[in-house]
Amino acid sequence: MPIAVDIDVMLAKRKMSVGELAERVGITPANLAVLKNGRAKAVRFTTLAALCEVLECQPGDLLRWEAGDSEDG
């Protein structure tokens, strides 16, 4: 997928666990794992906003586009 997810980077910078982030954002650790491992097909703006609020970052710190990495063909 051409969208890369850098939640792990922000977690490391904030010295926060996946479980703590999931609890503070209000999603399950399993759903957060799907998102952070790049397997999610979509993310709600409310979830993205909550991630940014908890991690004190911008959406661009969590998501980036990678050219030439398309799975569609």
Side-chain angles (χ1 to χ4, degrees):
M1 175 179 276
I3 301 297
V5 182
D6 291 327
I7 291 175
D8 283 338
V9 174
M10 293 307 298
L11 282 171
K13 286 182 179 180
R14 302 297 186 248
K15 296 179 171 60
M16 188 181 297
S17 71
V18 172
E20 181 183 353
L21 179 61
E23 183 178 321
R24 291 179 62 184
V25 169
I27 61 175
T28 66
N31 283 341
L32 181 56
V34 167
L35 178 59
K36 79 178 192 70
N37 292 327
R39 295 189 316 261
K41 297 292 183 191
V43 61
R44 292 177 187 229
F45 281 165
T46 54
T47 302
L48 183 58
L51 287 166
C52 289
E53 181 177 356
V54 170
L55 293 170
E56 298 177 353
C57 66
Q58 295 294 314
D61 296 325
L62 301 177
L63 304 172
R64 64 188 156 80
W65 180 72
E66 292 183 339
D69 191 21
S70 176
E71 293 177 355
D72 293 334

